[in-house]
Amino acid sequence: MHTPGAAPADTASAAVTATHCPYCALQCGMNLRPEPGGAGGVTVEERVDFPVNRGALCGKGRTAPAVLSSRVRLTQPLIRTHAGRLEPATWEEALDAVAEGLARTRRSYGADAVGVFGGGGLTNEKAYALGKFARIALGTSQIDYNGRFCMSSAAAAHQRAFGLDRGLPFPLEDIPRTGCVILVGSNPADTMPPALRFFRELRENGGTLIVVDPRRTRTAEQADLHLAPRPGTDLALALGLLHLVVAGGHTDEEFIASRTTGWEEARAGAMAHWPELVERITGVPVPKLREAVAMFCAPSAAMVLTARGPEQQSKGTDTVGAWINLCLATGRAGRPLSGYGCLTGQGNGQGGREHGQKADQLPGYRKLTDPAARAHVAGVWGVDPDELPGPGRSAYELLDALGTDVKALLLMGSNPVVSAPRAAHIEERIRSLDFLAVADVVLSETAALADVVLPVAQWAEETGTTTNLEGRVLLRRRALSPPPGVRSDLEVLHGLATRLGMPKAFPTDPEEVFEELRRASAGGPADYSGISYARIEAEQGVFWPCPAAAPPGTAAAPAAAPAPGEPHPGTPRLFLDRFATEDGRARFVPVTHRDAAEVPDAQYPLLLTTGRVVAQYQSGAQTRRVDELNEAAPGPFVELHPRLAARLGVSDGAPLAVTSRRGRALAPARITDTIRADTVFMPFHWPGEGRANTLTNPALDPVSRMPEFKVCAVRVEPA
């Protein structure tokens, strides 16, 4: 695809540049070829050598260069004038204003009155630098990122059960070779289309696919069995399946005895969820529950993969834990071609939390409360460990505190005005700030509220690493120069740090930052110290953990450790010898079903669930600027069953009002029999009156602090 308006390609980049898509966590490989004649545009070409997508790209990937155009992006800093308008400014003026706004707040109210909010699309280098900037340049504990809204419940459940969190503990290429996959709350046909081929190949190889989703999505249509539970009841469903596993004698007693702890308590919890009770809770008939167990337990290898459906709930950690218990009880974990995994959503949601954006973590997935972790990272940063602040607020709690405890905010690569739950309230909190600075590619709905807007470079205009959903660390090489007036996020942080008195701590060269990240992560759970830019390019990515040395017997060591002195090979498959706990055993965690934070009542008799469509991405800040994608998905809609539509007296396309306890959204009806009659669905990519997150519930999971995006009580009526 040609990209008009971009700056001319660098001389060194005149040849094709192998890189990766800027959108979802597949991080599909692609090639960028400069347009002939020096016009500065680039064309996307297939990159068939990359194993994740083998050249395939969805519409978002194919059209990604469109956002590089100067016609749709920011190309100069903006400062809000006394008249209330955003007006062009120089970079010196803009950086001075941001540094003064943050410093003034810190002087007046203390360091924790300054907040930092990051994004799951930032490269590892930028995520690392942003976390470091918050903690040593600003001295604030108040940092989190929108990845908290992605897979934090799965991450917490991973930690509890396995001692280590990585989205997939095996490569995607293992999926077609297993016997059965239960795919829970995921619709890769729309969210990551190139991944759908792994599930097609599974079935072509004789395996079976079970899809759990309240909607009969394009993914569910390809399944051997579709289970359509009532939103918010995935936990009961998993417990009911485990009950039937036990009752049918399908447990792997040898695996349970040799490689796990806590089975008796977890077993007791499952046995309290008998099939008829689970049918009443979920709406899934008992014969389908039995069919699912028979399919899952028939082959010698099987997997469970979850996504946002079960995770974005106020009990998401326990829900994922129940699915992990099912894997452990049947011996479907820590063995070849078996295991539990999470399909991460955002492009660098995995790496973004591993290296310091998350409120309670330091680089290398170290705990901020661990004295040894603090000492190690402080040593790399050249500061006293006691100077590092403690854990701060989680993402929603941080946004909710804006304008009260948190007076100023530096925001990079996120658009919470559209993407946060209870979005109208969050918009009010953002408007109440004393000072807001936003660094972004486009003038998003959040950036439009800022006091200072900083235009930053994009994926094709800068070098950096990302970590995809497999734990594969990848390298994006710079293919062309950003337009004049645009700087990288690393340059922004360097400029601010210079004004705050510590320029040397924040280099602008991404490879130099990555070398520091390697040292900071060394010895941590997410150890990148054995990974380099050259090695990533030579090996099509490197799976972490990958220490600089290869000590045998580490918690996440590969099945065959290398000889002393040999480079560590990386770890494509985790847990084959032992889990990453102190004793090497996985932990069953006893869980029990509980209702969602909101259940239907007379005033709000229906359930709302939210999600994505194939032609848009996240808050839509970038994809809504691409004509081809807007033609395919021009705006929001309300999906409802024909029986509900008949009861309301509405026809397809008629305007509907959807109201929750938090607000009201308007969108046209889309009538389909692929959804439950007690449920309506809205995609969340659009602002304004069709903003789905006006309705969603910020009730938080007590462990992961994930909001309950996926289920709330609503009423629907003709607008």
Side-chain angles (χ1 to χ4, degrees):
M1 174 176 179
H2 173 64
T3 306
D10 297 335
T11 303
S13 303
V16 169
T17 302
T19 188
H20 296 273
C21 177
Y23 291 115
C24 83
L26 284 183
Q27 288 296 279
C28 290
M30 60 169 62
N31 290 324
L32 295 182
R33 181 181 296 277
E35 285 287 314
V42 291
T43 299
V44 169
E45 296 180 345
E46 290 185 355
R47 182 180 165 192
V48 297
D49 63 322
F50 187 61
V52 170
N53 62 310
R54 302 179 199 163
L57 292 168
C58 72
K60 296 186 290 290
R62 286 188 298 99
T63 61
V67 188
L68 297 170
S69 170
S70 298
R71 294 201 300 263
V72 300
R73 67 184 296 181
L74 294 164
T75 57
Q76 55 187 339
L78 304 172
I79 293 180
R80 194 168 299 280
T81 66
H82 293 298
R85 294 187 300 272
L86 286 171
E87 299 287 354
T90 67
W91 268 100
E92 295 307 306
E93 291 169 338
L95 290 172
D96 286 347
V98 175
E100 173 53 27
L102 300 178
R104 181 176 61 248
T105 302
R106 193 172 55 175
R107 288 194 302 269
S108 299
Y109 302 103
D112 275 358
V114 180
V116 176
F117 199 86
L122 300 182
T123 63
N124 290 320
E125 292 81 359
K126 294 190 287 189
Y128 171 83
L130 186 62
K132 178 182 178 182
F133 179 82
R135 293 182 171 105
I136 71 169
L138 297 176
T140 182
S141 68
Q142 300 303 302
I143 175 172
D144 212 85
Y145 82 128
N146 62 15
R148 175 79 69 167
F149 300 156
C150 180
M151 61 166 289
S152 57
S153 292
H158 278 200
Q159 292 280 10
R160 291 200 310 194
F162 305 136
L164 183 71
D165 158 40
R166 197 178 83 185
L168 292 180
F170 42 73
L172 285 162
E173 66 188 35
D174 284 2
I175 292 174
R177 300 160 54 208
T178 192
C180 178
V181 172
I182 302 180
L183 187 60
V184 189
S186 177
N187 180 21
D190 281 1
T191 59
M192 45 181 65
L196 196 61
R197 69 173 174 81
F198 293 107
F199 301 100
R200 285 198 300 266
E201 291 173 8
L202 165 73
R203 300 185 68 211
E204 291 167 1
N205 292 340
T208 53
L209 175 63
I210 302 168
V211 171
V212 179
D213 200 304
R215 304 164 63 222
R216 193 173 73 248
T217 62
R218 293 195 299 138
T219 303
E221 288 175 349
Q222 299 195 31
D224 297 280
L225 178 64
H226 174 213
L227 307 180
R230 185 174 294 113
T233 64
D234 307 87
L235 176 52
L237 178 64
L239 287 163
L241 295 180
L242 183 52
H243 178 110
L244 289 170
V245 163
V246 175
H250 300 301
T251 55
D252 187 330
E253 297 298 329
E254 187 278 330
F255 179 88
I256 291 170
S258 64
R259 300 201 60 191
T260 73
T261 62
W263 167 233
E264 290 305 318
E265 295 85 352
R267 180 184 184 278
M271 298 316 288
H273 294 77
W274 60 94
E276 292 75 16
L277 172 63
V278 171
E279 178 177 331
R280 289 200 299 272
I281 294 171
T282 66
V284 177
V286 171
K288 284 201 168 188
L289 299 175
R290 296 187 185 279
E291 185 180 359
V293 169
M295 293 169 65
F296 186 68
C297 294
S300 59
M303 300 173 178
V304 173
L305 304 176
T306 67
R308 305 303 79 74
E311 297 163 17
Q312 288 181 325
Q313 298 185 29
S314 59
K315 53 183 182 294
T317 303
D318 283 356
T319 301
V320 172
W323 290 104
I324 291 176
N325 287 348
L326 178 67
C327 291
L328 294 175
T330 54
R332 288 350 193 243
R335 286 176 169 169
L337 306 182
S338 288
Y340 163 79
C342 166
L343 297 175
T344 310
Q346 293 189 84
N348 198 33
Q350 181 79 46
R353 70 177 178 281
E354 290 169 5
H355 297 300
Q357 285 190 100
K358 197 161 171 278
D360 56 352
Q361 288 179 187
L362 288 169
Y365 225 128
R366 287 181 159 92
K367 293 181 179 178
L368 192 52
T369 54
D370 178 1
R374 294 170 65 88
H376 174 85
V377 174
V380 174
W381 290 350
V383 300
D384 189 312
D386 292 338
E387 295 178 18
L388 297 179
R393 294 175 172 90
S394 71
Y396 180 79
E397 292 165 306
L398 173 56
L399 295 172
D400 190 41
L402 300 181
T404 54
D405 294 340
V406 179
K407 305 289 188 180
L409 183 69
L410 172 64
L411 186 146
M412 282 188 162
S414 186
N415 188 20
V417 165
V418 179
S419 64
R422 198 186 174 197
H425 169 73
I426 295 304
E427 181 176 343
E428 290 176 2
R429 301 315 323 139
I430 290 173
R431 289 180 181 275
S432 72
L433 282 164
D434 291 353
F435 181 79
L436 171 64
V438 174
D440 209 333
V441 170
V442 298
L443 190 67
S444 70
E445 287 73 21
T446 305
L449 304 179
D451 296 286
V452 182
V453 181
L454 305 173
V456 291
Q458 299 186 55
W459 58 288
E461 301 163 346
E462 57 184 359
T463 295
T465 61
T466 61
T467 305
N468 81 345
L469 76 173
E470 306 166 295
R472 189 193 303 251
V473 185
L474 304 167
L475 180 64
R476 296 179 188 159
R477 282 287 187 190
R478 173 171 163 157
L480 68 164
S481 300
V486 172
R487 296 185 182 180
S488 73
D489 293 280
L490 293 180
E491 290 173 325
V492 168
L493 293 175
H494 175 81
L496 294 176
T498 298
R499 288 160 173 79
L500 296 172
M502 49 178 58
K504 293 183 179 179
F506 293 90
T508 61
D509 176 57
E511 190 164 9
E512 184 178 348
V513 176
F514 189 78
E515 290 301 309
E516 183 181 311
L517 181 158
R518 293 173 63 188
R519 298 195 303 275
S521 74
D527 191 334
Y528 282 33
S529 60
I531 305 174
S532 66
Y533 277 20
R535 185 172 175 186
I536 294 171
E537 287 186 304
E539 300 179 20
Q540 296 280 35
V542 180
F543 292 84
W544 72 263
C546 183
T554 54
E566 291 291 322
H568 194 287
T571 316
R573 295 169 181 86
L574 296 169
F575 314 136
L576 296 182
D577 291 337
R578 66 195 309 272
F579 294 96
T581 56
E582 289 185 4
D583 60 7
R585 291 171 174 260
R587 309 283 192 253
F588 281 99
V589 177
V591 295
T592 189
H593 173 72
R594 57 187 185 273
D595 285 335
E598 282 186 353
V599 295
D601 56 19
Q603 188 176 7
Y604 302 98
L606 299 169
L607 293 167
L608 169 72
T609 191
T610 64
R612 289 178 276 177
V613 298
V614 68
Q616 300 288 353
Y617 180 73
Q618 303 298 76
S619 76
Q622 295 184 47
T623 52
R624 285 187 275 111
R625 287 165 168 80
V626 180
D627 292 342
E628 181 179 331
L629 300 179
N630 284 332
E631 290 172 6
F637 56 87
V638 182
E639 191 174 277
L640 71 165
H641 193 275
R643 289 204 300 272
L644 176 57
R647 194 162 75 240
L648 295 172
V650 299
S651 58
D652 202 64
L656 288 179
V658 184
T659 307
S660 76
R661 289 177 174 85
R662 288 153 296 281
R664 184 172 185 257
L666 301 174
R670 181 173 293 184
I671 300 172
T672 175
D673 63 1
T674 61
I675 191 169
R676 293 176 55 97
D678 59 1
T679 301
V680 295
F681 166 84
M682 289 187 71
F684 55 71
H685 309 291
W686 288 275
E689 64 180 17
R691 181 174 59 185
N693 278 319
T694 297
L695 309 167
T696 49
N697 192 349
L700 300 180
D701 180 289
V703 180
S704 68
R705 315 309 288 170
M706 167 74 84
E708 192 152 60
F709 285 101
K710 283 298 180 186
V711 54
C712 68
V714 297
R715 67 173 180 268
V716 180
E717 53 207 350

